[in-house]
Amino acid sequence: MAESLKEKTAKGLFWGAMNNGAMQVIGLAFGIVLGRLLSKADFGMMAMINVFPLIAIALQNSGFASAIGNLKNPTANDYNSVFWFNIIVGTSLYVILFFCAPFIADFYHDERLVNLCRLAFVNILFSSFGTAQAAYLFKNLMVKQQAKASIVAVLISSTVGALMAWQGFAYWSLAMQGVTYVGINTLLVWHYSHWRPSWKIDFTPVRTMFPFSFKIAATTIATKINDNVMNILLGRFYTNAVTGSYNQAYQWNSKCYLLLQGMLNPVIQPVLVDLSGDRERQLNAFRKMVRFIAFLSFPLLFGLGMVSREFIVITLTEKWLSSAEILRMLCIGGSVMPLYTLFSNVVITKGKSGIYFWCTVSLSVVQIALMLLLYPYGIHTMVCAYVALTIFWMFIWYGLSYRFIGYKPWDFFKDVCPFVLAALGVMSVVYVVTMGIGNLPLLLLSRVVLAAGLYYVVMRIAKVKILDECLNFVLKRKK
């Protein structure tokens, strides 16, 4: 019997949660190991160059995965056209960046970056072979297969990185970890995808999708710049160690909100596109996603901010203490990032790639200008401005979702604010109650247990429906 859209969505959420839960647990474990083995400068070296392969991969993909996701019934020829386009563009971009490595090293005043770039940028080649297959899994809601590929890839690559760091390879271990992850993941999406390329190459579908997909690609590039602008400027105007401190805090913050984003990303676009003919059902499904995110995101990120100091010192040692205060600030912005992503996806599902592009590029321009203006005042001033701008821009995306699917401000208030207030109240009470505990491990454990228990009690007393739905779904999966 064919699965209903509701069943597919539920399974997609479950496997999205399994995927991101496993990846974040693995990332947590190996992140601690690497944080102890490597220096701030080692992390700073990789943070400074990460933006280049990310931009190149965005150019190589050119938004065709999203374009295929918006097609009702993509054909084998559509996938084949995207596949060969990616191979050609990916290979060309790697060659260009290979010869541009000395210029990147000159920008950061560090000749060691030449060879590091040439190794790290191999990601671009490996990624080009898997885009069409990944698009096939995405379009067909094969979230379980995507989860298996990601989990195996992150486990193997993290092991490689940790072993190399233990053997004294310093920043090379981080570069090799990234290359291994992309290579293994590409092999596995090939294994799980039912589609295979042919030698009959026709770029007509690519040309047809290009007006939409190009704007998605340009938007992705702007997003990657937004995500890495702090690393770029800190690497240019400060030291590798300062860049590494910020990047460590940024990575822990992003691990938390990406856990939630990753649960929803595989299902948001396919589900909203399938419900595009029924506006009321589409809005109801969307509101349930908003409540689900708010229910988890605010306590998770506010909680991480509350325990940031003891968490960093216990797991990574006091050499990373400078990252703790930065992490606390970043968690405020990180709490709205899943909503930010959800609202922006509404624009994509409506086929408004032009609006998506200009909204993201506008953020990029404002953020770069703001950071250039504030960098002389220190890293903490820059981080505060970065967080404030993230929250402000979330409301910009919300305004667009209101325009396209009629998500009213009062409904948004009812769906989100109770969870914000509950999370703030719980974390404030727990912070005050546990202030007198001097032992860091006991303090961390006490705050985590008390915060989780108190938040659950508050949700029970308030009779929050989304809690019951989550518990029922988990219990059903166990049975």
Side-chain angles (χ1 to χ4, degrees):
M1 182 182 295
E3 290 183 313
S4 67
L5 179 62
K6 184 176 181 180
E7 290 170 331
K8 287 183 178 180
T9 304
K11 285 189 175 182
L13 287 172
F14 174 77
W15 281 104
M18 289 290 291
N19 179 21
N20 283 273
M23 288 187 69
Q24 299 311 324
V25 169
I26 295 168
L28 172 68
F30 282 97
I32 292 171
V33 172
L34 290 170
R36 286 174 169 268
L37 291 172
L38 302 177
S39 68
K40 295 179 184 179
D42 291 330
F43 280 90
M45 290 278 284
M46 281 302 301
M48 290 187 295
I49 66 171
N50 272 342
V51 69
F52 297 102
L54 291 173
I55 290 175
I57 290 172
L59 282 171
Q60 161 230 302
N61 292 343
S62 295
F64 288 120
S66 293
I68 286 177
N70 262 18
L71 298 176
K72 282 288 186 181
N73 296 294
T75 65
N77 194 39
D78 293 328
Y79 289 109
N80 201 58
S81 183
V82 169
F83 175 81
W84 288 110
F85 176 86
N86 275 281
I87 297 294
I88 295 170
V89 175
T91 303
S92 302
L93 287 171
Y94 177 75
V95 171
I96 292 170
L97 285 174
F98 182 92
F99 290 106
C100 285
F103 301 106
I104 296 172
D106 287 342
F107 178 80
Y108 289 116
H109 313 297
D110 195 331
E111 288 301 315
R112 294 174 297 172
L113 290 174
V114 175
N115 291 326
L116 183 64
C117 286
R118 288 170 175 172
L119 171 62
F121 295 169
V122 173
N123 283 350
I124 302 164
L125 289 174
F126 288 165
S127 175
S128 66
F129 283 88
T131 302
Q133 280 74 12
Y136 180 90
L137 299 181
F138 172 74
K139 178 60 182 177
N140 290 280
L141 282 173
M142 298 173 70
V143 186
K144 179 179 179 180
Q145 291 76 6
Q146 294 177 65
K148 289 181 177 180
S150 298
I151 291 169
V152 172
V154 77
L155 184 58
I156 294 174
S157 62
S158 297
T159 302
V160 169
L163 288 173
M164 289 185 66
W166 180 53
Q167 291 296 317
F169 283 92
Y171 49 83
W172 294 104
S173 58
L174 296 173
M176 199 63 202
Q177 179 183 2
V179 171
T180 304
Y181 173 80
V182 177
I184 297 295
N185 189 69
T186 298
L187 289 174
L188 289 174
V189 296
W190 266 78
H191 170 71
Y192 289 119
S193 173
H194 301 152
W195 173 82
R196 290 293 180 268
S198 70
W199 289 104
K200 185 180 179 181
I201 303 173
D202 176 14
F203 288 123
T204 301
V206 164
R207 288 194 293 268
T208 303
M209 290 184 276
F210 192 74
F212 174 87
S213 65
F214 174 74
K215 293 171 187 173
I216 297 296
T219 306
T220 302
I221 292 170
T223 301
K224 299 305 179 186
I225 293 173
N226 292 343
D227 292 342
N228 287 275
V229 65
M230 290 285 286
N231 286 327
I232 296 170
L233 293 178
L234 291 174
R236 171 69 176 177
F237 297 113
Y238 290 83
T239 65
N240 291 353
V242 171
T243 308
S245 291
Y246 168 80
N247 187 251
Q248 188 70 255
Y250 178 84
Q251 291 300 321
W252 289 112
N253 176 55
S254 62
K255 283 180 190 298
C256 276
Y257 69 71
L258 287 175
L259 174 64
L260 302 178
Q261 284 186 192
M263 292 170 63
L264 285 169
N265 279 348
V267 300
I268 293 173
Q269 190 181 354
V271 169
L272 294 182
V273 169
D274 281 344
L275 293 176
S276 58
D278 189 334
R279 186 181 177 89
E280 184 177 354
R281 283 186 66 203
Q282 187 184 55
L283 180 58
N284 288 337
F286 183 77
R287 289 189 64 187
K288 183 170 286 190
M289 292 179 187
V290 171
R291 290 192 294 271
F292 177 75
I293 286 175
F295 167 67
L296 294 175
S297 180
F298 293 107
L300 183 64
L301 271 298
F302 290 170
L304 178 62
M306 178 182 64
V307 301
S308 60
R309 181 179 178 276
E310 47 268 33
F311 172 76
I312 290 292
V313 172
I314 291 170
T315 57
L316 303 178
T317 72
E318 289 194 4
K319 72 179 180 180
W320 291 101
L321 186 58
S322 58
S323 297
E325 188 175 350
I326 298 173
L327 176 58
R328 185 176 293 114
M329 292 185 286
L330 288 175
C331 283
I332 299 172
S335 66
V336 304
M337 280 304 297
L339 290 174
Y340 180 109
T341 302
L342 181 61
F343 293 148
S344 63
N345 264 276
V346 172
V347 181
I348 297 176
T349 59
K350 293 300 178 180
K352 305 296 184 179
S353 57
I355 294 176
Y356 186 74
F357 167 73
W358 285 113
C359 189
T360 306
V361 169
S362 298
L363 171 61
S364 183
V365 171
V366 172
Q367 184 166 272
I368 291 172
L370 188 61
M371 294 302 109
L372 285 172
L373 181 67
L374 294 177
Y375 87 84
Y377 299 97
I379 184 173
H380 292 96
T381 302
M382 295 171 71
V383 172
C384 287
Y386 176 83
V387 169
L389 187 59
T390 299
I391 296 172
F392 174 77
W393 223 263
M394 184 271 291
F395 285 102
I396 299 292
W397 286 116
Y398 160 71
L400 292 171
S401 69
Y402 167 66
R403 172 183 172 184
F404 290 122
I405 62 173
Y407 188 28
K408 298 177 182 178
W410 178 242
D411 291 333
F412 172 64
F413 179 84
K414 290 190 298 182
D415 291 339
V416 174
C417 283
F419 299 106
V420 176
L421 296 175
L424 276 175
V426 166
M427 301 311 154
S428 299
V429 169
V430 171
Y431 183 82
V432 172
V433 169
T434 57
M435 282 179 64
I437 301 176
N439 182 277
L440 282 184
L442 181 59
L443 177 62
L444 177 61
L445 180 62
S446 300
R447 285 181 168 177
V448 171
V449 173
L450 284 175
L454 185 56
Y455 187 73
Y456 176 79
V457 170
V458 170
M459 294 296 103
R460 272 297 186 197
I461 293 173
K463 296 180 179 179
V464 174
K465 187 177 179 181
I466 196 71
L467 172 63
D468 293 330
E469 291 178 349
C470 290
L471 291 175
N472 290 337
F473 179 71
V474 171
L475 294 173
K476 182 180 177 181
R477 293 297 305 183
K478 286 184 178 179
K479 292 179 181 178

